[in-house]
Amino acid sequence: MMSQPLRPGQPNSPPERAGTLIEPGVNPHLPQPVGQPAQPVERSGTLIETEEDVRQALLSGVKGRPPIPTGLPGAAPPVPLAAAPAPPPVSGRLATPFRPTARPPIALLTVFDDGRTDGEVIRLREGRFLIGRTEGELRIPLDSHISARHVEITYQNVGGLHRWVVTDLQSTHGMFVRDSRTVLADKAEFLVGNGRYRFDEPQADPGATTEYNADPSQRGNTHGWDEGTSPFRPPALTELLGREIGNRILLVKAEYWIGSDPSCAICRPDDPFCEPRHVRLYRKPKGAWHAEHNKTPNGLWLRMAQITVEATVQFQIGEQRFQLKVP
């Protein structure tokens, strides 16, 4: 005979609750906890730290500081505990956030968006990163002033010290690094706004002192720079226009300004990227010439063959600007 199904109220019948399923292994006759959070997972004697534990540790900042209470909806208020004795004062510095000590830091390369100071961030996880027009890990094919292989960023370990180096691969148009102030060496090139300049050191004619004999009748008169042989040629600043040579200014005073203001000796009135007073050229008492920008947004960019990055450096190739940051 087939067994008849048990009806409610009969012995050994399961309790009937509208719309409620009884989970296996759960005693329905015992009150169940309501609104309690899941317990932290413990495996092989290791207590896994929960996300809330990590958050509390970051907020506390100092080891031993009591966690910030986070009440749960419906939970009973915490029972106040007896005041604990104040811990003894501690000495020593606080811990800093963790960072690797055995491997090199991961450098951050930012490819600036046009007209902005932020953009795409690339994390350099390998020891070599090439930028070029047609070759490399980063290619910029639409910029004709970028060479096929233009610059390379490499990691170096020198005497146990980690460092990142940006090297110009003998490109046609060079690499320019943003500087606040620089000493101008002979043939130094730099960018101001949309202009490019070259500095030429003063030079002396080695045979002029013995071969030059001025006409006694012309003594006391003013002579042009190209008239006859001069024993000394002053420093000069030459504007470079692609492959052509632009204006050349002889630096015979102690100070010059490059800017869009008409009062500047080296004036760029139609340059939208040049400030009224953008870069100051001046000669130190010992004779060395310096260039310094006037805290301008577009800055002063000096052509360099290589730069070692200790913290943060901005550089430009073609018309693309970058920032390399070593945390």
Side-chain angles (χ1 to χ4, degrees):
M1 296 179 61
M2 297 179 61
S3 59
Q4 299 295 327
L6 295 178
R7 294 189 301 274
Q10 288 183 337
N12 300 324
S13 63
E16 183 177 4
R17 297 179 185 176
T20 302
L21 297 178
I22 305 301
E23 297 181 5
V26 177
N27 190 339
H29 302 290
L30 295 178
Q32 301 301 315
V34 178
Q36 292 187 0
Q39 296 297 320
V41 180
E42 186 171 359
R43 296 188 180 97
S44 304
T46 300
L47 183 64
I48 304 301
E49 195 171 30
T50 65
E51 183 179 359
E52 178 62 19
D53 293 334
V54 176
R55 191 184 73 87
Q56 292 287 351
L58 293 175
L59 290 176
S60 64
V62 180
K63 186 180 297 184
R65 183 180 298 176
I68 299 175
T70 55
L72 295 172
V79 179
L81 302 177
V90 296
S91 60
R93 61 177 177 82
L94 300 178
T96 59
F98 171 79
R99 60 181 299 159
T101 56
R103 68 161 172 82
I106 294 178
L108 304 178
L109 176 68
T110 302
V111 186
F112 287 146
D113 292 336
D114 296 342
R116 298 178 60 90
T117 56
D118 58 2
E120 177 186 3
V121 178
I122 302 174
R123 288 165 173 82
L124 306 186
R125 293 186 170 89
E126 297 185 6
R128 175 183 175 275
F129 191 89
L130 178 65
I131 306 175
R133 191 181 71 255
T134 60
E135 299 182 36
E137 286 69 34
L138 177 62
R139 295 184 292 275
I140 307 177
L142 298 180
D143 195 329
S144 60
H145 287 175
I146 295 180
S147 298
R149 295 163 50 88
H150 202 114
V151 296
E152 186 178 50
I153 304 173
T154 54
Y155 161 72
Q156 298 179 1
N157 189 329
V158 180
L161 299 178
H162 308 299
R163 69 181 191 181
W164 291 87
V165 180
V166 186
T167 304
D168 177 23
L169 301 177
Q170 298 181 349
S171 62
T172 302
H173 298 281
M175 174 183 70
F176 291 83
V177 178
R178 178 161 180 156
D179 294 304
S180 59
R181 182 177 63 252
T182 183
V183 178
L184 295 176
D186 188 33
K187 307 304 180 185
E189 295 183 20
F190 58 91
L191 304 178
V192 177
N194 208 27
R196 180 171 175 172
Y197 294 91
R198 185 189 70 209
F199 173 78
D200 297 313
E201 284 186 341
Q203 296 182 7
D205 187 347
T209 56
T210 58
E211 298 177 0
Y212 175 68
N213 293 311
D215 185 352
S217 63
Q218 298 296 325
R219 289 178 181 174
N221 297 334
T222 301
H223 298 270
W225 290 109
D226 297 328
E227 295 180 13
T229 304
S230 172
F232 175 77
R233 188 179 71 185
L237 190 70
T238 303
E239 184 176 6
L240 304 178
L241 304 174
R243 298 177 180 271
E244 304 295 329
I245 299 296
N247 294 329
R248 179 185 170 105
I249 298 178
L250 299 177
L251 306 179
V252 295
K253 299 179 181 179
E255 180 183 83
Y256 292 84
W257 277 94
I258 306 176
S260 60
D261 189 275
S263 64
C264 295
I266 306 170
C267 187
R268 302 188 57 82
D270 300 323
D271 190 341
F273 311 122
C274 188
E275 300 289 339
R277 284 178 169 256
H278 198 114
V279 165
R280 174 178 170 244
L281 304 176
Y282 60 97
R283 185 179 66 237
K284 286 291 188 73
K286 292 185 179 181
W289 279 86
H290 293 67
E292 180 178 23
H293 83 88
N294 194 26
K295 300 186 182 302
T296 57
N298 290 326
L300 166 68
W301 302 76
L302 179 69
R303 182 168 183 172
M304 301 181 67
Q306 188 177 79
I307 180 69
T308 299
V309 183
E310 298 178 352
T312 302
V313 164
Q314 293 186 15
F315 62 95
Q316 175 176 332
I317 60 174
E319 291 189 309
Q320 179 62 58
R321 291 182 172 178
F322 303 85
Q323 176 178 281
L324 184 63
K325 180 179 181 180
V326 180

